[in-house]
PDB file of all heavy atoms in Angstrom:
ATOM      1  N   ALA A 100     -50.626 159.990  13.943  1.00 94.00           N
ATOM      2  CA  ALA A 100     -49.650 158.915  14.161  1.00 94.00           C
ATOM      3  C   ALA A 100     -49.577 158.001  12.941  1.00 94.00           C
ATOM      4  O   ALA A 100     -50.336 158.119  11.979  1.00 94.00           O
ATOM      5  CB  ALA A 100     -50.038 158.109  15.403  1.00 94.00           C
ATOM      6  N   SER A 101     -48.604 157.083  13.025  1.00 92.00           N
ATOM      7  CA  SER A 101     -48.462 155.950  12.100  1.00 92.00           C
ATOM      8  C   SER A 101     -48.360 156.377  10.647  1.00 92.00           C
ATOM      9  O   SER A 101     -49.224 156.081   9.814  1.00 92.00           O
ATOM     10  CB  SER A 101     -49.623 154.973  12.284  1.00 92.00           C
ATOM     11  OG  SER A 101     -49.723 154.553  13.611  1.00 92.00           O
ATOM     12  N   PRO A 102     -47.294 157.122  10.275  1.00 94.00           N
ATOM     13  CA  PRO A 102     -47.154 157.466   8.867  1.00 94.00           C
ATOM     14  C   PRO A 102     -46.823 156.233   8.028  1.00 94.00           C
ATOM     15  O   PRO A 102     -46.188 155.281   8.492  1.00 94.00           O
ATOM     16  CB  PRO A 102     -45.976 158.447   8.878  1.00 94.00           C
ATOM     17  CG  PRO A 102     -45.176 158.044  10.069  1.00 94.00           C
ATOM     18  CD  PRO A 102     -46.189 157.601  11.091  1.00 94.00           C
ATOM     19  N   SER A 103     -47.274 156.255   6.775  1.00 94.00           N
ATOM     20  CA  SER A 103     -46.902 155.218   5.811  1.00 94.00           C
ATOM     21  C   SER A 103     -45.558 155.612   5.209  1.00 94.00           C
ATOM     22  O   SER A 103     -45.406 156.717   4.682  1.00 94.00           O
ATOM     23  CB  SER A 103     -47.976 155.113   4.720  1.00 94.00           C
ATOM     24  OG  SER A 103     -47.552 154.240   3.697  1.00 94.00           O
ATOM     25  N   ILE A 104     -44.570 154.731   5.309  1.00 92.00           N
ATOM     26  CA  ILE A 104     -43.203 155.068   4.915  1.00 92.00           C
ATOM     27  C   ILE A 104     -42.765 154.173   3.762  1.00 92.00           C
ATOM     28  O   ILE A 104     -42.958 152.957   3.796  1.00 92.00           O
ATOM     29  CB  ILE A 104     -42.234 154.906   6.103  1.00 92.00           C
ATOM     30  CG1 ILE A 104     -42.672 155.805   7.263  1.00 92.00           C
ATOM     31  CG2 ILE A 104     -40.804 155.230   5.680  1.00 92.00           C
ATOM     32  CD1 ILE A 104     -41.875 155.591   8.528  1.00 92.00           C
ATOM     33  N   ARG A 105     -42.189 154.790   2.748  1.00 90.00           N
ATOM     34  CA  ARG A 105     -41.614 154.020   1.652  1.00 90.00           C
ATOM     35  C   ARG A 105     -40.285 154.652   1.243  1.00 90.00           C
ATOM     36  O   ARG A 105     -40.051 155.845   1.442  1.00 90.00           O
ATOM     37  CB  ARG A 105     -42.562 153.968   0.450  1.00 90.00           C
ATOM     38  CG  ARG A 105     -42.822 155.316  -0.191  1.00 90.00           C
ATOM     39  CD  ARG A 105     -43.493 155.147  -1.537  1.00 90.00           C
ATOM     40  NE  ARG A 105     -43.739 156.409  -2.190  1.00 90.00           N
ATOM     41  CZ  ARG A 105     -43.885 156.546  -3.513  1.00 90.00           C
ATOM     42  NH1 ARG A 105     -43.816 155.482  -4.289  1.00 90.00           N
ATOM     43  NH2 ARG A 105     -44.116 157.721  -4.042  1.00 90.00           N
ATOM     44  N   SER A 106     -39.412 153.851   0.678  1.00 85.00           N
ATOM     45  CA  SER A 106     -38.087 154.309   0.287  1.00 85.00           C
ATOM     46  C   SER A 106     -38.123 154.864  -1.124  1.00 85.00           C
ATOM     47  O   SER A 106     -38.749 154.288  -2.025  1.00 85.00           O
ATOM     48  CB  SER A 106     -37.084 153.159   0.371  1.00 85.00           C
ATOM     49  OG  SER A 106     -35.831 153.580  -0.122  1.00 85.00           O
ATOM     50  N   LEU A 107     -37.447 156.008  -1.328  1.00 81.00           N
ATOM     51  CA  LEU A 107     -37.297 156.600  -2.650  1.00 81.00           C
ATOM     52  C   LEU A 107     -35.831 156.543  -3.085  1.00 81.00           C
ATOM     53  O   LEU A 107     -35.360 157.412  -3.790  1.00 81.00           O
ATOM     54  CB  LEU A 107     -37.787 158.047  -2.636  1.00 81.00           C
ATOM     55  CG  LEU A 107     -39.241 158.282  -2.250  1.00 81.00           C
ATOM     56  CD1 LEU A 107     -39.576 159.765  -2.323  1.00 81.00           C
ATOM     57  CD2 LEU A 107     -40.177 157.502  -3.131  1.00 81.00           C
ATOM     58  N   THR A 108     -35.109 155.520  -2.622  1.00 67.00           N
ATOM     59  CA  THR A 108     -33.692 155.383  -2.954  1.00 67.00           C
ATOM     60  C   THR A 108     -33.501 155.319  -4.472  1.00 67.00           C
ATOM     61  O   THR A 108     -34.176 154.549  -5.150  1.00 67.00           O
ATOM     62  CB  THR A 108     -33.114 154.112  -2.311  1.00 67.00           C
ATOM     63  OG1 THR A 108     -33.352 154.149  -0.914  1.00 67.00           O
ATOM     64  CG2 THR A 108     -31.625 154.017  -2.578  1.00 67.00           C
ATOM     65  N   PRO A 109     -32.614 156.153  -5.048  1.00 65.00           N
ATOM     66  CA  PRO A 109     -32.452 156.173  -6.500  1.00 65.00           C
ATOM     67  C   PRO A 109     -31.885 154.863  -7.036  1.00 65.00           C
ATOM     68  O   PRO A 109     -31.086 154.196  -6.389  1.00 65.00           O
ATOM     69  CB  PRO A 109     -31.474 157.331  -6.716  1.00 65.00           C
ATOM     70  CG  PRO A 109     -30.749 157.457  -5.425  1.00 65.00           C
ATOM     71  CD  PRO A 109     -31.730 157.099  -4.361  1.00 65.00           C
ATOM     72  N   VAL A 110     -32.335 154.494  -8.228  1.00 47.00           N
ATOM     73  CA  VAL A 110     -31.838 153.305  -8.911  1.00 47.00           C
ATOM     74  C   VAL A 110     -30.962 153.775 -10.076  1.00 47.00           C
ATOM     75  O   VAL A 110     -31.465 154.319 -11.053  1.00 47.00           O
ATOM     76  CB  VAL A 110     -32.995 152.434  -9.429  1.00 47.00           C
ATOM     77  CG1 VAL A 110     -32.459 151.209 -10.155  1.00 47.00           C
ATOM     78  CG2 VAL A 110     -33.916 152.035  -8.281  1.00 47.00           C
ATOM     79  N   PRO A 111     -29.645 153.644  -9.967  1.00 53.00           N
ATOM     80  CA  PRO A 111     -28.764 154.191 -11.008  1.00 53.00           C
ATOM     81  C   PRO A 111     -28.755 153.309 -12.261  1.00 53.00           C
ATOM     82  O   PRO A 111     -29.190 152.165 -12.240  1.00 53.00           O
ATOM     83  CB  PRO A 111     -27.395 154.165 -10.322  1.00 53.00           C
ATOM     84  CG  PRO A 111     -27.490 153.028  -9.361  1.00 53.00           C
ATOM     85  CD  PRO A 111     -28.907 153.004  -8.878  1.00 53.00           C
ATOM     86  N   PRO A 112     -28.266 153.832 -13.382  1.00 44.00           N
ATOM     87  CA  PRO A 112     -28.112 153.020 -14.600  1.00 44.00           C
ATOM     88  C   PRO A 112     -27.078 151.913 -14.378  1.00 44.00           C
ATOM     89  O   PRO A 112     -26.339 151.922 -13.391  1.00 44.00           O
ATOM     90  CB  PRO A 112     -27.612 154.033 -15.637  1.00 44.00           C
ATOM     91  CG  PRO A 112     -27.887 155.366 -15.061  1.00 44.00           C
ATOM     92  CD  PRO A 112     -27.848 155.207 -13.571  1.00 44.00           C
ATOM     93  N   PRO A 113     -27.021 150.950 -15.280  1.00 44.00           N
ATOM     94  CA  PRO A 113     -26.023 149.872 -15.151  1.00 44.00           C
ATOM     95  C   PRO A 113     -24.603 150.433 -15.063  1.00 44.00           C
ATOM     96  O   PRO A 113     -24.251 151.379 -15.750  1.00 44.00           O
ATOM     97  CB  PRO A 113     -26.214 149.052 -16.429  1.00 44.00           C
ATOM     98  CG  PRO A 113     -27.626 149.333 -16.835  1.00 44.00           C
ATOM     99  CD  PRO A 113     -27.897 150.748 -16.438  1.00 44.00           C
ATOM    100  N   CYS A 114     -23.827 149.860 -14.143  1.00 50.00           N
ATOM    101  CA  CYS A 114     -22.417 150.187 -13.972  1.00 50.00           C
ATOM    102  C   CYS A 114     -22.206 151.607 -13.453  1.00 50.00           C
ATOM    103  O   CYS A 114     -21.154 152.184 -13.645  1.00 50.00           O
ATOM    104  CB  CYS A 114     -21.632 149.983 -15.271  1.00 50.00           C
ATOM    105  SG  CYS A 114     -19.917 149.481 -14.988  1.00 50.00           S
ATOM    106  N   VAL A 115     -23.219 152.170 -12.838  1.00 50.00           N
ATOM    107  CA  VAL A 115     -23.079 153.487 -12.222  1.00 50.00           C
ATOM    108  C   VAL A 115     -23.226 153.324 -10.723  1.00 50.00           C
ATOM    109  O   VAL A 115     -24.126 152.652 -10.250  1.00 50.00           O
ATOM    110  CB  VAL A 115     -24.146 154.467 -12.761  1.00 50.00           C
ATOM    111  CG1 VAL A 115     -24.157 155.738 -11.926  1.00 50.00           C
ATOM    112  CG2 VAL A 115     -23.851 154.793 -14.211  1.00 50.00           C
ATOM    113  N   THR A 116     -22.327 153.936  -9.984  1.00 51.00           N
ATOM    114  CA  THR A 116     -22.392 153.862  -8.538  1.00 51.00           C
ATOM    115  C   THR A 116     -22.423 155.257  -7.957  1.00 51.00           C
ATOM    116  O   THR A 116     -22.079 156.224  -8.632  1.00 51.00           O
ATOM    117  CB  THR A 116     -21.193 153.084  -7.975  1.00 51.00           C
ATOM    118  OG1 THR A 116     -21.364 152.904  -6.581  1.00 51.00           O
ATOM    119  CG2 THR A 116     -19.902 153.804  -8.235  1.00 51.00           C
ATOM    120  N   GLN A 117     -22.858 155.378  -6.737  1.00 53.00           N
ATOM    121  CA  GLN A 117     -22.926 156.673  -6.084  1.00 53.00           C
ATOM    122  C   GLN A 117     -22.110 156.591  -4.797  1.00 53.00           C
ATOM    123  O   GLN A 117     -22.260 155.662  -4.025  1.00 53.00           O
ATOM    124  CB  GLN A 117     -24.375 157.031  -5.747  1.00 53.00           C
ATOM    125  CG  GLN A 117     -25.268 157.059  -6.975  1.00 53.00           C
ATOM    126  CD  GLN A 117     -26.730 157.017  -6.593  1.00 53.00           C
ATOM    127  OE1 GLN A 117     -27.091 157.333  -5.483  1.00 53.00           O
ATOM    128  NE2 GLN A 117     -27.565 156.597  -7.513  1.00 53.00           N
ATOM    129  N   LEU A 118     -21.259 157.581  -4.592  1.00 50.00           N
ATOM    130  CA  LEU A 118     -20.434 157.641  -3.397  1.00 50.00           C
ATOM    131  C   LEU A 118     -20.676 158.966  -2.698  1.00 50.00           C
ATOM    132  O   LEU A 118     -20.296 160.002  -3.237  1.00 50.00           O
ATOM    133  CB  LEU A 118     -18.962 157.514  -3.754  1.00 50.00           C
ATOM    134  CG  LEU A 118     -18.189 156.361  -3.137  1.00 50.00           C
ATOM    135  CD1 LEU A 118     -16.717 156.492  -3.431  1.00 50.00           C
ATOM    136  CD2 LEU A 118     -18.449 156.203  -1.677  1.00 50.00           C
ATOM    137  N   PRO A 119     -21.315 159.049  -1.553  1.00 52.00           N
ATOM    138  CA  PRO A 119     -21.935 157.910  -0.888  1.00 52.00           C
ATOM    139  C   PRO A 119     -23.327 157.634  -1.439  1.00 52.00           C
ATOM    140  O   PRO A 119     -23.860 158.429  -2.185  1.00 52.00           O
ATOM    141  CB  PRO A 119     -22.036 158.384   0.570  1.00 52.00           C
ATOM    142  CG  PRO A 119     -22.254 159.858   0.421  1.00 52.00           C
ATOM    143  CD  PRO A 119     -21.427 160.287  -0.772  1.00 52.00           C
ATOM    144  N   VAL A 120     -23.891 156.501  -1.060  1.00 65.00           N
ATOM    145  CA  VAL A 120     -25.252 156.185  -1.445  1.00 65.00           C
ATOM    146  C   VAL A 120     -26.204 157.184  -0.785  1.00 65.00           C
ATOM    147  O   VAL A 120     -26.098 157.473   0.392  1.00 65.00           O
ATOM    148  CB  VAL A 120     -25.619 154.745  -1.029  1.00 65.00           C
ATOM    149  CG1 VAL A 120     -27.094 154.466  -1.296  1.00 65.00           C
ATOM    150  CG2 VAL A 120     -24.749 153.751  -1.775  1.00 65.00           C
TER     151      VAL A 120
END
Side-chain angles (χ1 to χ4, degrees):
S101 305
S103 173
I104 301 173
R105 64 167 181 156
S106 175
L107 300 182
T108 305
V110 179
C114 212
V115 169
T116 186
Q117 302 164 21
L118 239 188
V120 174

